[in-house]
């Protein structure tokens, strides 16, 4: 199975400041035939199901604010929130869908400093 | 509007069986690969398994904890997907979500609210 790790486990950022979350896969999730990385990012707020933010490592889901961006390739990926808003307080998960089982990272909790 | 509504979660004893269901609407269900994801209380997300569409062979893939104990099935005539869980363990206690989305059940852009399964003596 592909193991996903995230860092940090949690972070606190001032309103309007940048938040950066790292995600690493134990093997590449780059799909040569698609020329894409099979990596998604989700946001989960308490009591709610996860919400898809980013797929193919850098494609923003419709309706997601442009302060959310994804980057990276191969085994190393980053989710950036360019200017943290109060409503961004949540747990963020990465997920690989390169190979089954499609594994999730352990999550990163984002709070306001 | 895509809707996924899970049901069937309840309290069961270790070793017992349970089937949870997911009713889907708002999309062409028969062509869609469906996924189950679970979340233990206070823990992260765990991919349980997925079932392909009939036209893609209805193949199922499972995560290791589900292999040999869980079975995903679908009824395209009713737009339903099921998760049959046998030999339940306390560590199967979780909120079970059904989800769908990208091609080949890849990224998940639609989720239900989940159904809670508690395994306890």
């Amino acid at each position: 199975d592909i193991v996903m790790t995230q860092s940090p486990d949690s972070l606190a950022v001032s309103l309007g400041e940048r938040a950066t979350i790292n995600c690493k896969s134990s093997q590449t999730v780059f799909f040569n035939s698609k020329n894409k990385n099979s990596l998604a990012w989700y946001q989960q707020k308490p009591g709610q199901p996860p919400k898809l933010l980013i797929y193919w490592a850098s494609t923003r889901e419709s309706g997601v604010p442009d302060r959310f961006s994804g980057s990276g390739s191969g085994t190393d990926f980053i989710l950036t929130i360019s200017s943290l808003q109060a409503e961004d307080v949540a747990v963020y998960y990465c997920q690989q869908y390169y190979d089954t089982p499609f594994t999730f990272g352990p999550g990163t909790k984002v709070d306001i400093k | 509007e895509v809707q996924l509504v899970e049901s069937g979660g309840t309290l069961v004893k270790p070793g017992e069986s349970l089937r949870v269901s997911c009713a889907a609407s708002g999309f062409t269900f028969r062509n869609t690969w469906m996924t189950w994801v679970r979340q233990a209380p206070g823990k992260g997300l765990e991919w349980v398994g997925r079932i392909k569409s009939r036209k893609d062979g209805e193949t199922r893939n499972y995560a290791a904890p589900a292999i040999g104990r869980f079975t995903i099935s679908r009824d395209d005539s009713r737009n339903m997907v099921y998760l049959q869980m046998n030999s339940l363990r306390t560590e199967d206690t979780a909120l079970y979500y059904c989800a769908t989305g990208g091609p080949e059940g890849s990224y998940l852009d639609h989720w239900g609210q989940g159904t809670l399964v508690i395994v306890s003596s």
Side-chain angles (χ1 to χ4, degrees):
Chain A
D1 296 2
I2 297 176
V3 176
M4 306 299 290
T5 56
Q6 289 182 232
S7 63
D9 295 335
S10 65
L11 75 161
V13 175
S14 300
L15 289 172
E17 296 300 306
R18 177 183 301 257
T20 301
I21 300 169
N22 300 287
C23 172
K24 189 173 182 68
S25 57
S26 60
Q27 64 187 74
T28 186
V29 298
F30 181 75
F31 236 122
N32 284 313
S33 61
K34 299 180 189 293
N35 195 32
K36 293 179 178 180
N37 290 279
S38 302
L39 192 285
W41 288 98
Y42 301 86
Q43 174 195 66
Q44 189 179 32
K45 298 180 180 179
Q48 296 183 18
K51 174 187 174 183
L52 177 68
L53 297 176
I54 303 282
Y55 56 97
W56 298 126
S58 60
T59 301
R60 198 179 302 113
E61 170 73 337
S62 176
V64 172
D66 61 7
R67 63 180 180 273
F68 291 93
S69 63
S71 62
S73 185
T75 61
D76 293 278
F77 301 91
I78 297 172
L79 175 70
T80 302
I81 310 173
S82 60
S83 175
L84 191 75
Q85 303 301 303
E87 60 265 33
D88 301 334
V89 170
V91 179
Y92 293 82
Y93 297 92
C94 60
Q95 179 213 10
Q96 66 81 18
Y97 49 92
Y98 177 84
D99 190 22
T100 58
F102 293 163
T103 42
F104 290 90
T108 294
K109 186 174 182 182
V110 174
D111 271 320
I112 305 294
K113 185 186 292 183
Chain B
E1 178 194 4
V2 172
Q3 282 202 313
L4 299 169
V5 180
E6 302 92 338
S7 61
T10 189
L11 171 65
V12 296
K13 291 182 168 53
E16 292 185 343
S17 297
L18 182 68
R19 188 180 80 163
V20 294
S21 306
C22 172
S25 61
F27 60 100
T28 307
F29 180 80
R30 67 179 183 277
N31 293 339
T32 304
W33 300 19
M34 299 298 297
T35 297
W36 286 97
V37 174
R38 70 182 181 180
Q39 187 169 35
K43 303 297 184 182
L45 302 170
E46 182 179 23
W47 191 89
V48 174
R50 75 170 179 194
I51 183 168
K52 298 181 181 179
S53 62
R54 173 170 283 195
K55 69 178 177 68
D56 293 311
E58 250 180 69
T59 306
R60 299 151 176 88
N61 302 100
Y62 299 100
I67 295 172
R69 298 190 303 128
F70 293 6
T71 302
I72 300 174
S73 61
R74 61 191 298 152
D75 184 341
D76 291 346
S77 68
R78 298 184 177 187
N79 285 8
M80 297 287 294
V81 62
Y82 305 100
L83 178 64
Q84 174 70 42
M85 300 180 285
N86 299 330
S87 303
L88 281 161
R89 306 165 180 164
T90 56
E91 55 265 36
D92 296 317
T93 294
L95 188 62
Y96 285 76
Y97 294 104
C98 74
T100 189
E104 301 177 359
S106 50
Y107 52 86
L108 301 167
D109 61 1
H110 293 100
W111 298 67
Q113 291 296 315
T115 188
L116 182 61
V117 174
I118 301 173
V119 185
S120 175
S121 53

